[in-house]
Amino acid sequence: MASHEDGVISEVEEKITDGVGEQLLEKGFVTLDNIFGKEISTDFFRELQWLFEKGHMLPNQVQFQTSGGPVILEKPNIFEVDMHDDKISKLEEITRFQWLFNNADALVKIFNKSMPSLGLKEGKKHRTVKLQYNLGGGGCFPWHYDNPSRPNNRGLTMLVYLNSEWTDGHGGELELLPFLEANVSIPPLMDRAVLFLSDRILHRVLPCRSKRLCFTLWFDSGTVNSDDDVFLKAKHLQPSAVDILKCSPLQRVLSRAVYQEEYEQSLLECFGYAEGGGESSKACRMSLKLHNAHLQALLKNAQIAEFVEHLRQLKPNASRTPDEKK
C-alpha cells in the first residue's frame, strides 16, 4: 500500500508541469503554493519549532576566504541546522524531515524529467537540506547567489516556507533580482515553495520583524560552472552581450559592481542594523571591507569598469540624463 508521503510526491509531480519547467528555465525562478499539503507542512513546522526550542539549532555563520585566511561572520537572529549532521538526522522527533532528506531523490527525478537540462544529481552527497529559524529583530540575508562560482555544484534551490500567521508588516520576504530586471518580492507564506536557478538568481531576505521558519533544499548539478559560466571574455564586455548576461551565470562576475549600492545596503541591514550597532559593528565593517576589496580588484580593469557603468544605466529606475533616456 502506498504511503501518505508517496501520495504527496505524486502531487508534487503534478505541480511540476511543462509550463512550470519552462518558466523556471526562462525566468530563472517559479513559485508554487500548497507544495506539500497542510498535514505535512504543519508537521514540518512543529518539528522545526521543536528543534529550536530544544537548542539544536545554531547561529548562522558565513565564511569568506581572504588573503589573511578565512573570516567567519555571524548573521544575527538566524539559527540553522543541516540534515547531514548525524546528531540531527537521527532524532526520533523529526520524522518528516528524515523522510524528506532520505527521499529527496524522488524530487530530483521529477525535476530532471521536466527540466533535463538541469542535470541534477541523485544521492545524499549531492543534496543539502537546511532548516532555518529566524527570530525576527531584523534578521535577514544580504544579496547573494547560492552558487557563486567554483567549486560549488548547486544547480537548483528549493525554498519552502512554514509561516501560517505571516502578514504584511512582518517582513522576511524573499527578494529576487533577475539581472537588469525589476525586483520580485515573495511573501514567505505557509507551504509555499520557491524554485530558482542557484547560479543565476541574485536574491536576499528582507529584514524580518516576526519569527520566520523555512527550510531549503539545494540540488547539485553536473552542468554548472563550466568555463563558459565562469570566465568573462572580451566579447562579453559589449552592449550586444547584455541579453546573454541576463540569462547566463557569467553575470555573477559583474553583479557586485552593477549592484554596488544594493549590496552595501543589504550588508548594513544584515550585519549592522540587526545587531543594533549600525555601521560600527565589527561584522558590518568586515563585510563592507570584503565587498569593497572585491570591487577594487574587479574594476582595476578599465574595460570592465566602463562596461559596468553601461550596465548600471540599464537597471530599472536607473538615473539617466535626458539624452540617455531617448
Side-chain angles (χ1 to χ4, degrees):
M1 181 180 296
S3 68
H4 178 56
E5 287 91 346
D6 291 336
V8 169
I9 292 297
S10 296
E11 292 176 7
V12 171
E13 185 170 15
E14 291 177 2
K15 294 180 173 71
I16 308 299
T17 63
D18 290 342
V20 167
E22 290 171 2
Q23 180 179 339
L24 177 63
L25 295 176
E26 179 182 350
K27 294 187 176 181
F29 68 93
V30 67
T31 300
L32 299 169
D33 287 329
N34 305 312
I35 188 66
F36 287 111
K38 183 176 181 180
E39 179 181 340
I40 287 185
S41 60
T42 300
D43 287 344
F44 282 144
F45 171 85
R46 290 171 178 164
E47 291 180 5
L48 210 165
Q49 183 73 38
W50 180 87
L51 285 168
F52 179 75
E53 291 175 351
K54 296 301 181 181
H56 291 293
M57 306 190 77
L58 301 174
N60 171 279
Q61 294 182 330
V62 59
Q63 179 172 297
F64 297 93
Q65 295 297 329
T66 71
S67 58
V71 174
I72 297 176
L73 301 181
E74 187 173 299
K75 297 186 181 75
N77 299 320
I78 297 175
F79 297 81
E80 294 182 332
V81 70
D82 191 325
M83 287 298 293
H84 275 293
D85 185 339
D86 288 340
K87 298 190 298 293
I88 299 301
S89 62
K90 294 179 180 179
L91 290 170
E92 296 179 356
E93 292 83 359
I94 58 168
T95 56
R96 291 298 193 195
F97 281 117
Q98 289 172 345
W99 161 75
L100 179 68
F101 184 57
N102 291 329
N103 295 280
D105 277 349
L107 296 175
V108 173
K109 289 181 172 69
I110 292 171
F111 297 141
N112 279 338
K113 180 181 178 181
S114 177
M115 299 162 284
S117 63
L118 290 180
L120 302 182
K121 294 184 175 183
E122 297 183 28
K124 286 186 179 180
K125 69 178 182 179
H126 295 302
R127 62 174 172 263
T128 301
V129 180
K130 186 168 286 189
L131 321 182
Q132 184 186 113
Y133 195 106
N134 189 327
L135 279 175
C140 59
F141 282 76
W143 289 111
H144 66 283
Y145 293 91
D146 281 353
N147 182 340
S149 190
R150 295 173 179 173
N152 196 302
N153 292 311
R154 291 172 180 170
L156 181 68
T157 298
M158 180 178 182
L159 268 164
V160 180
Y161 295 105
L162 304 171
N163 307 293
S164 60
E165 298 181 358
W166 188 91
T167 187
D168 289 342
H170 283 178
E173 294 92 342
L174 175 69
E175 191 170 15
L176 309 179
L177 187 49
F179 198 64
L180 302 179
E181 302 290 345
N183 297 25
V184 178
S185 183
I186 302 175
L189 302 180
M190 183 68 170
D191 203 24
R192 167 172 284 176
V194 183
L195 306 176
F196 58 87
L197 302 180
S198 306
D199 60 354
R200 209 181 91 188
I201 294 297
L202 185 63
H203 62 285
R204 69 166 179 162
V205 175
L206 294 176
C208 195
R209 291 172 286 278
S210 181
K211 75 175 184 179
R212 173 188 183 273
L213 282 66
C214 69
F215 62 90
T216 306
L217 297 96
W218 288 287
F219 302 98
D220 286 352
S221 166
T223 65
V224 296
N225 289 334
S226 67
D227 286 354
D228 288 339
D229 293 337
V230 174
F231 298 119
L232 201 65
K233 300 176 182 178
K235 67 179 181 180
H236 300 125
L237 302 177
Q238 307 291 333
S240 59
V242 169
D243 288 340
I244 295 174
L245 291 172
K246 284 185 176 182
C247 58
S248 168
L250 276 173
Q251 64 183 253
R252 297 173 298 180
V253 180
L254 303 171
S255 174
R256 279 185 179 269
V258 174
Y259 293 102
Q260 177 180 347
E261 296 82 6
E262 290 87 344
Y263 269 85
E264 290 174 353
Q265 181 62 28
S266 71
L267 290 170
L268 287 169
E269 291 173 348
C270 178
F271 295 112
Y273 297 156
E275 287 186 357
E279 294 187 25
S280 63
S281 73
K282 179 179 179 180
C284 187
R285 293 198 307 271
M286 179 59 69
S287 66
L288 289 173
K289 180 179 179 181
L290 293 170
H291 170 65
N292 289 326
H294 180 96
L295 290 178
Q296 290 175 10
L298 178 68
L299 299 177
K300 282 182 179 179
N301 182 301
Q303 189 177 4
I304 290 178
E306 181 179 357
F307 187 57
V308 163
E309 285 305 312
H310 172 71
L311 295 177
R312 285 169 61 84
Q313 294 302 312
L314 298 179
K315 294 191 299 182
N317 303 318
S319 176
R320 302 179 179 89
T321 66
D323 288 340
E324 290 173 326
K325 292 181 180 180
K326 292 180 180 179

